Amino acid sequence: MHDTDDTAAPTNRLRVACGVFGCAGAPGAADVVYHGLHALQHRGQEGCGITTYLDERFINERHPGLVGEHFSNGPLCERLPGQFGIGHVRYSTQGKSVGRNLQPLYADLPGQSGLAIAHNGNLTNARALRELLNDRGSIFTSESDTEVLLHLAAHSDELRIEMRFLDGLRQVEGGYAIVALSANKLMAARDPLGIRPLVLGWMQDTGTPVVASETCALTQVGARFDRDIRPGELFVTDGDSHKSYEITPPRPARTCAFEYLYFARPDSVVDGVQVYSARKTMGRILAAEAAVDADVVVPVPDGGVPAALGYAEAVGVPFELGIIRSHFVGRSFIAKDQSARTRKVHMKHAANAAAVAGKRVVLIDDSIVRGTTSRKIVELMRKAGAREVHFRSASPRITHGDYYGIDLSDPKTLLARTHPTDAEMAAALHADSVGFLSIDGLYQAVCDAPRDPARPQLSDHYFTGEYPTALTDRDAGRADRHHQLSLLEEVD
Amino acid sequence: MHDTDDTAAPTNRLRVACGVFGCAGAPGAADVVYHGLHALQHRGQEGCGITTYLDERFINERHPGLVGEHFSNGPLCERLPGQFGIGHVRYSTQGKSVGRNLQPLYADLPGQSGLAIAHNGNLTNARALRELLNDRGSIFTSESDTEVLLHLAAHSDELRIEMRFLDGLRQVEGGYAIVALSANKLMAARDPLGIRPLVLGWMQDTGTPVVASETCALTQVGARFDRDIRPGELFVTDGDSHKSYEITPPRPARTCAFEYLYFARPDSVVDGVQVYSARKTMGRILAAEAAVDADVVVPVPDGGVPAALGYAEAVGVPFELGIIRSHFVGRSFIAKDQSARTRKVHMKHAANAAAVAGKRVVLIDDSIVRGTTSRKIVELMRKAGAREVHFRSASPRITHGDYYGIDLSDPKTLLARTHPTDAEMAAALHADSVGFLSIDGLYQAVCDAPRDPARPQLSDHYFTGEYPTALTDRDAGRADRHHQLSLLEEVD
Amino acid sequence: MHDTDDTAAPTNRLRVACGVFGCAGAPGAADVVYHGLHALQHRGQEGCGITTYLDERFINERHPGLVGEHFSNGPLCERLPGQFGIGHVRYSTQGKSVGRNLQPLYADLPGQSGLAIAHNGNLTNARALRELLNDRGSIFTSESDTEVLLHLAAHSDELRIEMRFLDGLRQVEGGYAIVALSANKLMAARDPLGIRPLVLGWMQDTGTPVVASETCALTQVGARFDRDIRPGELFVTDGDSHKSYEITPPRPARTCAFEYLYFARPDSVVDGVQVYSARKTMGRILAAEAAVDADVVVPVPDGGVPAALGYAEAVGVPFELGIIRSHFVGRSFIAKDQSARTRKVHMKHAANAAAVAGKRVVLIDDSIVRGTTSRKIVELMRKAGAREVHFRSASPRITHGDYYGIDLSDPKTLLARTHPTDAEMAAALHADSVGFLSIDGLYQAVCDAPRDPARPQLSDHYFTGEYPTALTDRDAGRADRHHQLSLLEEVD
Amino acid sequence: MHDTDDTAAPTNRLRVACGVFGCAGAPGAADVVYHGLHALQHRGQEGCGITTYLDERFINERHPGLVGEHFSNGPLCERLPGQFGIGHVRYSTQGKSVGRNLQPLYADLPGQSGLAIAHNGNLTNARALRELLNDRGSIFTSESDTEVLLHLAAHSDELRIEMRFLDGLRQVEGGYAIVALSANKLMAARDPLGIRPLVLGWMQDTGTPVVASETCALTQVGARFDRDIRPGELFVTDGDSHKSYEITPPRPARTCAFEYLYFARPDSVVDGVQVYSARKTMGRILAAEAAVDADVVVPVPDGGVPAALGYAEAVGVPFELGIIRSHFVGRSFIAKDQSARTRKVHMKHAANAAAVAGKRVVLIDDSIVRGTTSRKIVELMRKAGAREVHFRSASPRITHGDYYGIDLSDPKTLLARTHPTDAEMAAALHADSVGFLSIDGLYQAVCDAPRDPARPQLSDHYFTGEYPTALTDRDAGRADRHHQLSLLEEVD
């Protein structure tokens, strides 16, 4: 899943939409949110924002870039006072991630009540709703589908803010984890299938509630994990008392498989499953399904490491750091001559000849998307003297796009589509062989059971083409071109 | 009108809301707008923005700070391509002028048509409309009353964008000069009384239309002045053909007197009146009405210069630059001890002892608001050795607030309120005497006729308390507290 | 003296080298220096720096840009603590004014004593000395001739820092005003002829000494003017006791005439002469020498204003603000087409048609250097409808370069060289006539006496070619190319 | 070697001085240097600089921060043209790493020849030389000991630049790797013992020479490794022809042991030894010397990973990612209350409960310096449910300071000093046991032989107190206080 082309635009990268965090009744809420977002930074690095509430005012700060660049300086809790706060980290999924598209979004609703909202995921009927709202006179000032929810809440006939919000949630479809802040109220909502993760915990010192995309953020802020927000649940709290509403009737979560494969931090527990353990098991099952004779098992860092450990344990072949990953920024400008172009190929990965020269290498990665990086890494291994290079993916073949917040780029460019057989793909990657985890292998690793075709336990459409929800916008052919506005703001 | 307290927060300053500019069918529109805004910079220095339109996309750039800081670098017309553009310079009239409150504003309207809008002035029923719209489900994401207009256009039953806009304009009251941009259309609207100025010109090379707050911007971009936009007129152009709509039936302009006194650049012509000449005449009439024996006439720069020239010519006393004004930024932090405090008093003005020592000085300023700066300047003169210091204001006593885009601070703090007689005011300023232009004197200078009490030729409520429009929000006691959101964004 | 070409590189502008300021024994020295530099900002706007001394440490902050942009934020006296401080504002006279070329410069001298130094002026034997020092093993890390003084002090056989510094000063030639800071000592030195100005004052609250390029800076910080630093004097103070050394035997000052004409702020008093009064007198004498029939007298702002007032008073013709100057930044990028080029011509000056249309205009400027701006301003007047345009310079014809800190650009491009007769020059400027103040007229205005050819009372080489000092480097043909280093640093 | 205290000032961290890179005769030298520095970024992250040479000019750019932040934008080879270039990445070892202390340094030498220099290491007689040079009249403008070398070259009696440089090198003692650039000449020098590493390679396309701190930089730029620069060698090249001088007679390298333990990138080869393999062997030998019964082997990332792999292989216990390291910036401000303080403890490391809960854990780190981080990591493991926590260091006990470019903080605070027995240290870290690699074990891993007490094969003073060179400054008690200057420059 490292289909990053170092030399090209960042659009080739697989991206998850975002991470969200919120707390209520916590002294110094902004500081709690800051630390929570820091632990969720892997979910989005192109923008961040925090909104707090105090004395009938919402205070909002949003910036392009990393949490630690913007919220670690100066007296944060003076800038953003209050005991209620929500925050967001984002990947841009569309165009330039600037100004108006950062979250939390905010709006004044009827009755002079304010609502701030932060969203991970994607609504599959946002454009249909947008057109409807547009026809009713609503105007849109951001490109985000999150704005739709603010309008739906504004148009609700309900009086109380949480009922308005619930009203809105009942009209949207798709995958989402949402935190929202109104006057002295924190709300957290998860989509009816639980595609996107969202967890609830309690601060160990104050006993007040915290919600976050992943458990690792709870640990970071000193909160105890309680439970996952249930699929279709809207959780509302004023810090002291709490109430849950059903957006839809409860059902078991059908979590996005990619959370286990790639997005979640290995130390998180998602819907009851330890991510690190699941990944190691994927490696073990991959070994059972697609082993190859080799001298060393080399992970493609960082994503492939747990699966490679599992694979190496299963086959009894040494695990070696055959690829060194640089964690430093390494953007390259356009190279004019061949010589310069060569230099630019690998700014993120370097071969460790000590580990691979003269060896038969089996590379373990978490996935193969477009194959651009995979091919380069195979080449790196060969240049470093590897005798054979085999490529194994700890996820099944990715053949379909996503509509719930993952940017898989144009499905037509997916390598598993353009090169449907293992032999074709091996040729494309210049690898001696390739192999994939099976779909049942994936389910076995995550759910400890094969896939139930009648009611699949996970969202797995990128592998199967079976989308768990309606795709209203896609089916209506609603194009993406409603984004009429390019925004460049404050980017001094 | 220089009631700036150098050492204190900028809120003591009199501020005009903004300047606007637009062009249609002009190659390199962004460059034309940039130069137009540069010539309007005196109308607002805290933020600026330009929106252009090309190929079904609106491109928007907004920044805190000066036009020349943000739009003079790099290939402007590549960043902001197109032949249609509007722009805005602003003073913040409320809170921090950041991010979301900068203009032009933009919204997607029904029918997927976009509308960008930039506004100088203030709507006196914005809050009433906002509540109404709120009740109809509209949400507000900025603090600006301009956003109301976008919602009104969105809720209109009309189909064509200009008719929708017209619909909206017919519902608002107050003073405004607005430029708006839709797909391949530039629109310009002026309030029914013509309180805020707006002019139309034609590019001398391409013959395409240009609109601007003042004629000086036409000159800057190489355009020929044609006429003032008429009170109550909505002018619509696609660059080739043009059409005017009546928001309200036509009537003579009742221009804001402060445009002549203070806001407009001296080389502009506002509703047929040369600003520079009017100011000189004010000085001459002031001399007739309130002359005093003196050795030198000293203007408070820069605003008082033309009136001081007129005054000096009338009384035959030498005009001297007795006060030197620094044009450099001179913010001061809080002084802890008395000695440091003394240093900070005058970072903007310095006495020129060569011109005033041992002399009887008559100071001419364009106005007196709170008197803070006036008092300091009198003190400066005395310290520099002036024998007598007389203060003359080239405008009448300011006794009432404004609701059309001028921030006169709290009316209760106006010096003419707290010190109603000349003697009291002289004592407050430590001046030997004070004097003001009469209201009829003002009219004589601008309109060449005394004030017509039945139908005053100017807006003059700050002097008379007679407001030219309804003040719906004020009369309904709609407080200012609906601004629930503090925004701090992108302020790296 | 406004030969700025708005559209071209800034190299066409006449530039004075710098302004300097220092204080000793003043609590919050950095704050005092900050305010002093603010009042000297007109002497240099491309860079600024402050050095203070406390507890055996020198603390140095230098920045490109304006004083108010960098030293008005945050707790200045915590960043730069101490009771001793010096500061500098600079124009770059060579290349890019960045990083290493900003002042104050600092060096560790023998005996572990530190010396910080800030310099206005130019040394005419700096390169000869540099070569000598180079041969003795000194290395140079800046392009500044100021660095030579640090090396000379370092090589001195004297023990005490002020004697080392004096030793160095005795070896240099040229024009300079220098402030220097060693451990608990402030030093101020002026060149033997007093070409560059430097004044001494005393803080009114603490009675401690202050030195500055001009008296206006004394006033700003609340100091009482005492006297000019004498030509050839080195003044040394520890805040309590003071001592003067003679670099050379005392003689009357031969101040740079341009200080009176252009550089000094009008409210300053330079070597006993009120600048504002001298300029007005120049205008009066210009009227006597070169009057022309006209309807209005129009100053080229801001430099031409005092002379225009004097001229207008003398001839009894109205003084009018026929040109409006924008004080906002107005950089223009390269224009591609003719239409855009037209827009860019005048971003700094605008004609005020109300004052000049149909009139015979006499323009008064403080000088004519290359004529670029003068020609544009004549054109502006004509476009605004002036019937006749006459140009009068309140200084004599500039025919020679300067070697003491003024950048007059290549002497071969001086308009008075390329167009030696008034008629030729009028044709070049498209003016109906031109005229200049005579050299004796200048002396009369400044010195109240004609020029004494035996011992001229001023430095006037730009008019006469008579240089007051040796020009060692020039005469030895020492080229400018020793600057091998381009520095670009910290320019985030 | 991760003694970073997340919550405290960065001074607790072990730091290597720098990385250097240079190339000659390479088209687009700046681009080559940029990529080389990117691969050396792990050696210093607080500042970076590149100097190139073209047509008798040196062009220099230096910035605080990362290489990728400053040199990846815009047309680098236009900003820094030429075929000769050197570059530097640095850790600040003293005070604030700003402005003047960044490298390369530059100076004009006698004969108008320029010399730029970049330096990794530390000179142990720099202060003695500085005093000597000071007495001869040299002035110092930076705090860097590198500046001494420029002065020594300047004072040399030799004529040719490389002989001058050689002259200087023969007078200094200590550990260093230096690249220098004069007109069309690249020079590279390594200290007589080869304490700091420096390698030579050849561009594969142009066949021109490249020098770098580590081989990983050669690979990054597409260069073939040739050989290590020999201890005491000065290598000089004009791109075509090359020559080596002996600073001192050749002898085998006595490389800094920390290069193998910590500094070098695992894929580098230092003086013939593969760093990755050496680290794994350290782990294996550590297992032989100090094994403990455990269920999982957990590396302290990233430094401890290779040794942990070796250890795990040796003992046959699973290697698990029991600690997750965040690669995002996570600065924390000062926490006011206990609750906030808890949040801040671990922003860099998180426990992975899935791997350690209920297990007996053996932690493998590359070293223990002050123990601050080690203690926190032990605590993390316990909180995550580890049953036992054993700590093993893959380097011997650190008991002495370094004088060759490594900042080991105050030796008195080294944990191995304050807690000399394993039992005491285990108590201090709250670990069940601690253990260290023996010194002979270290030699065995790196040199495949035990330590030769007569002529140790490595520099190992931090473990043994046997310093390989004279320590002139230390022995003379030359204090650090000559740094009289605090510099804050250009830090907008």
Side-chain angles (χ1 to χ4, degrees), chain B residues 34 205 276 280 320 339 343, chain C residues 31 205 276 320 331 339:
Chain B
Y34 162 62
D205 49 357
Y276 177 75
K280 279 197 71 176
E320 297 283 3
S339 157
R343 280 196 291 280
Chain C
D31 188 64
D205 50 357
Y276 176 76
E320 297 282 4
R331 234 165 288 133
S339 159

Side-chain angles (χ1 to χ4, degrees), chain B residues 339-354:
Chain B
S339 157
R341 225 170 288 141
T342 311
R343 280 196 291 280
K344 289 164 204 317
V345 171
H346 301 290
M347 299 202 66
K348 195 161 245 144
H349 299 105
N352 181 8

Side-chain angles (χ1 to χ4, degrees), chain D residues 165-218:
Chain D
F165 189 42
L166 185 62
D167 228 19
L169 289 168
R170 283 178 174 153
Q171 297 172 66
V172 302
E173 65 185 34
Y176 55 81
I178 294 174
V179 295
L181 188 66
S182 68
N184 289 320
K185 232 169 240 173
L186 170 70
M187 299 186 277
R190 193 172 176 200
D191 67 82
L193 298 180
I195 297 173
R196 300 261 70 89
L198 192 59
V199 296
L200 172 65
W202 305 89
M203 294 295 288
Q204 287 180 313
D205 50 358
T206 55
T208 52
V210 184
V211 289
S213 289
E214 294 183 33
T215 59
C216 65
L218 300 184

